[in-house]
């Protein structure tokens, strides 16, 4: 299947060529023709599947065509609602890329920054608006934005909206939308509250499901290191001495732990920055940029801050702490292995986290291989030390480009 078979117009095909996309991903193949035929759509897909392009490309084309045939359209015509500012910015970047040869004006609105520039952009007139719920509601209340002419509504990452407590804001926004519209609804998982919302919002939708939450992990090489909580930092520094780990996203549960870890890594000579919800938008963007341009090697993040981070060629994800919710593990490791590329995900597990590991294995219906024989495993010489061992540390995981000093065994664990 090629993009030429999806009823896309020449300027879109040209833009995709410029992006270097040669063929559509499964969700694009399944969604684009139905969206172009003005059908509602229920997409069960997570980031990394190419879902952003699956909804932005056809909506851009529909707006472009509509503007060609009707001279005075009341705007905005389309709204994309997404949970985080990082995702909003990334969707904005995708729109810019895919719509570079189209006559569609867009803007992105999100909180954490003064609204002035966003308001200026809206006042100039936009066809397509990408927004996070809180800022959009603010602007609606101030009568800066009206949704009364929306013809295309896209709800992105609906399950995250629920997890992050935005679902009421989302419902308030939906209540302002015209009844006659096309709705595209995307969610990685379908908990009952989300499928109920979908059934209210969608009219006779086409259903598209790709890489269910547990199968995306199949292309990612995973391993777990058992260690004591107090030794996690030393273990991380030990692993990072393997220079083949060029970029790594490290997840911690708590914001202050992210800051502290980044600080300690820098003290150990490893360039690191932290990104979490307490940081200003500016410093988050800067940290992300430094990471993307490889000025920093390690980005330490909490889950919410990492949502939507889209870094091509991210090879490694390390779960410094295991997540409380097993689905989050899939979201985290899905940061590597984007659009079909492989990646490496390493998890640290202290004795208190073993139930969390069991939950993750249960969800994925597979055991995560345990790396044995590393210097910081419980009961090892180093397990009572806080400093990095003086011997040359070599990572013991496969594909890391070095030999394997540690033994990797595939231990059967009970659920
Ligand atoms: P998403 O699932 O929307 O977060 O997209 C994941 C990544 O896949 C992004 O980096 C996109 O640029 C990339 N991508 C999307 N569609 C394609 C495609 N057809 N070919 C190659 N890469 C793609």
């Amino acid at each position: 299947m090629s993009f030429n078979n999806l009823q896309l117009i020449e300027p879109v095909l040209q833009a995709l060529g410029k992006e270097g996309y040669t063929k559509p991903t499964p969700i694009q193949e399944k969604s684009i023709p139905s969206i172009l035929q003005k059908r509602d759509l229920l997409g069960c897909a997570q980031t990394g599947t190419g879902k952003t392009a699956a909804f932005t490309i056809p909506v851009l084309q529909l707006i472009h065509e509509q503007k060609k045939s009707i001279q005075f359209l009341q705007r905005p015509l389309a709204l994309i609602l997404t949970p985080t500012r990082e995702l909003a910015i990334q969707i904005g970047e995708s729109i810019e890329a895919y719509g570079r040869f189209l006559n569609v004006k867009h803007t992105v609105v999100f909180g954490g920054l003064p609204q002035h520039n966003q308001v200026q952009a809206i006042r100039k007139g936009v066809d397509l608006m990408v927004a996070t719920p809180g800022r959009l509601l603010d602007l609606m209340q101030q009568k800066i934005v009206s949704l009364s002419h929306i013809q295309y509504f896209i709800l992105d990452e609906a399950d995250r909206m629920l997890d992050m407590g935005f679902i009421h804001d989302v419902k308030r926004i939906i209540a302002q939308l015209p009844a006659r519209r096309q709705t595209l609804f995307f969610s990685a998982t379908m908990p009952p509250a989300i499928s109920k919302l979908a059934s209210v919002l969608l009219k006779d939708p086409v259903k598209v499901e790709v890489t269910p939450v547990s199968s995306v992990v199949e292309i990612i090489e995973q391993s777990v290191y058992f260690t004591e909580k107090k030794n996690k930092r030393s273990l991380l520094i030990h692993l990072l001495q393997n220079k083949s780990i060029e970029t790594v996203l490290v997840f911690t549960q708590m914001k202050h732990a992210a800051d502290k870890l980044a600080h300690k890594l820098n003290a150990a000579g490893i360039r690191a920055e932290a990104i979490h919800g307490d940081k200003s938008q500016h410093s988050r963007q800067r940290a992300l940029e430094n990471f993307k341009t490889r000025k920093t090697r390690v980005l330490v993040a909490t889950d919410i801050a990492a949502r939507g981070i889209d870094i091509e060629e991210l090879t490694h994800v390390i779960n410094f702490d295991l997540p409380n919710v097993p689905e989050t593990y899939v979201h985290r490791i899905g940061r590597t292995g984007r659009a079909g590329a492989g990646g490496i995900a390493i998890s640290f597990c202290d004795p208190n986290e073993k139930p969390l590991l069991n939950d993750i294995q249960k969800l994925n219906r597979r055991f995560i291989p345990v790396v044995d024989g590393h210097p910081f495993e419980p009961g090892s010489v180093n397990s009572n030390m806080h400093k990095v061992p003086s011997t040359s540390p070599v990572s013991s995981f496969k594909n890391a480009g070095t030999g394997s000093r540690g033994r990797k065994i595939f231990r059967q664990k009970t659920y």
Side-chain angles (χ1 to χ4, degrees):
M1 171 70 80
S2 108
F3 281 112
N4 292 323
N5 307 111
L6 298 182
Q7 296 138 43
L8 293 170
I9 54 177
E10 198 49 41
V12 172
L13 292 172
Q14 267 175 20
L16 295 176
K18 243 182 161 3
E19 284 304 291
Y21 295 179
T22 49
K23 61 187 185 74
T25 65
I27 191 155
Q28 291 161 5
E29 202 176 303
K30 291 178 190 157
S31 308
I32 292 174
S34 302
I35 299 174
L36 288 174
Q37 283 158 20
K38 301 271 197 148
R39 294 283 306 270
D40 278 6
L41 185 127
L42 176 61
C44 202
Q46 62 175 89
T47 49
T49 54
K51 75 174 163 66
T52 314
F55 63 76
T56 49
I57 291 170
V59 168
L60 281 166
Q61 176 164 324
L62 286 169
I63 299 174
H64 175 83
E65 301 278 272
Q66 210 171 342
K67 284 181 77 180
K68 267 201 326 204
S69 53
I70 308 172
Q71 228 171 3
F72 297 107
L73 276 167
Q74 290 191 286
R75 305 186 287 173
L77 295 173
L79 170 66
I80 299 174
L81 208 53
T82 192
T84 68
R85 30 195 174 188
E86 282 79 10
L87 269 171
I89 291 169
Q90 270 162 26
I91 295 173
E93 286 168 359
S94 299
I95 292 171
E96 231 151 73
Y98 310 142
R100 70 175 83 212
F101 303 122
L102 299 177
N103 174 26
V104 178
K105 293 205 163 48
H106 80 280
T107 195
V108 183
V109 301
F110 50 82
L113 281 182
Q115 67 175 43
H116 179 74
N117 289 348
Q118 297 176 5
V119 173
Q120 297 277 90
I122 294 165
R123 294 217 159 113
K124 281 191 197 143
V126 287
D127 302 308
L128 166 57
M129 183 177 287
V130 183
T132 55
R135 174 57 58 94
L136 179 62
L137 272 175
D138 269 2
L139 296 173
M140 285 162 64
Q141 273 152 9
Q142 296 170 57
K143 308 236 179 298
I144 293 164
V145 176
S146 155
L147 302 183
S148 45
H149 305 291
I150 294 291
Q151 299 180 23
Y152 310 96
F153 172 57
I154 299 100
L155 182 60
D156 185 31
E157 310 239 340
D159 53 349
R160 286 285 129 184
M161 296 281 195
L162 183 70
D163 289 352
M164 293 171 71
F166 296 160
I167 204 74
H168 295 295
D169 284 354
V170 171
K171 286 182 179 164
R172 285 170 63 201
I173 292 166
I174 289 168
Q176 302 296 314
L177 293 169
R180 247 184 77 130
R181 57 163 200 262
Q182 185 179 5
T183 304
L184 315 175
F185 188 109
F186 287 86
S187 195
T189 55
M190 283 288 163
I194 291 304
S195 42
K196 196 167 150 217
L197 183 64
S199 66
V200 176
L201 282 182
L202 298 166
K203 292 193 188 105
D204 185 25
V206 175
K207 295 190 178 121
V208 175
E209 189 172 349
V210 292
T211 48
V213 75
S214 55
S215 71
V216 68
V217 296
E218 278 160 23
I219 53 165
I220 297 166
E221 187 184 317
Q222 301 162 67
S223 59
V224 61
Y225 285 67
F226 289 116
T227 191
E228 305 276 350
K229 191 176 170 67
K230 64 176 195 269
N231 286 326
K232 284 184 174 181
R233 205 164 63 221
S234 304
L235 175 58
L236 179 63
I237 293 171
H238 167 71
L239 294 181
L240 289 177
Q241 291 187 15
N242 179 342
K243 295 286 181 261
S244 72
I245 306 181
E246 288 177 18
T247 52
V248 57
L249 184 58
V250 175
F251 284 94
T252 61
Q253 277 297 85
M254 314 297 276
K255 297 172 196 168
H256 67 268
D259 278 332
K260 195 168 159 194
L261 183 59
H263 180 75
K264 294 283 180 188
L265 289 176
N266 281 306
I270 298 163
R271 281 162 297 126
E273 275 188 86
I275 177 171
H276 56 67
D278 283 353
K279 300 247 172 186
S280 69
Q281 177 62 16
H282 179 68
S283 73
R284 287 159 68 161
Q285 280 305 117
R286 199 186 46 214
L288 206 53
E289 212 41 53
N290 287 343
F291 188 57
K292 282 184 180 175
T293 55
R294 307 211 169 176
K295 280 194 194 130
T296 45
R297 182 174 167 217
V298 183
L299 189 65
V300 188
T302 56
D303 288 304
I304 289 181
R307 212 46 219 163
I309 290 180
D310 182 10
I311 300 148
E312 277 164 33
E313 297 168 34
L314 174 66
T315 52
H316 291 75
V317 164
I318 296 184
N319 291 308
F320 191 81
D321 300 314
L322 284 179
N324 293 326
V325 181
E327 281 85 358
T328 304
Y329 174 83
V330 182
H331 287 301
R332 285 184 182 184
I333 72 169
R335 309 283 112 206
T336 136
R338 312 292 276 174
I344 294 174
I346 297 167
S347 299
F348 296 172
C349 177
D350 69 41
N352 289 331
E353 292 175 310
K354 286 196 176 163
L356 304 179
L357 180 65
N358 283 341
D359 288 347
I360 291 165
Q361 298 191 123
K362 212 187 282 181
L363 174 77
N364 294 338
R365 292 191 212 98
R366 56 167 60 207
F367 297 106
I368 302 175
V370 177
V371 178
D372 243 0
H374 65 84
F376 295 98
E377 62 184 354
S380 71
V381 189
N382 289 310
S383 71
N384 290 322
M385 288 169 42
H386 285 261
K387 60 179 174 39
V388 185
S390 52
T391 51
S392 153
V394 182
S395 150
S396 52
F397 48 84
K398 206 163 77 179
N399 272 9
T402 57
S404 72
R405 207 173 62 146
R407 280 170 297 126
K408 186 172 189 174
I409 61 159
F410 290 62
R411 206 188 271 162
Q412 287 298 297
K413 300 211 64 66
T414 47
Y415 286 151

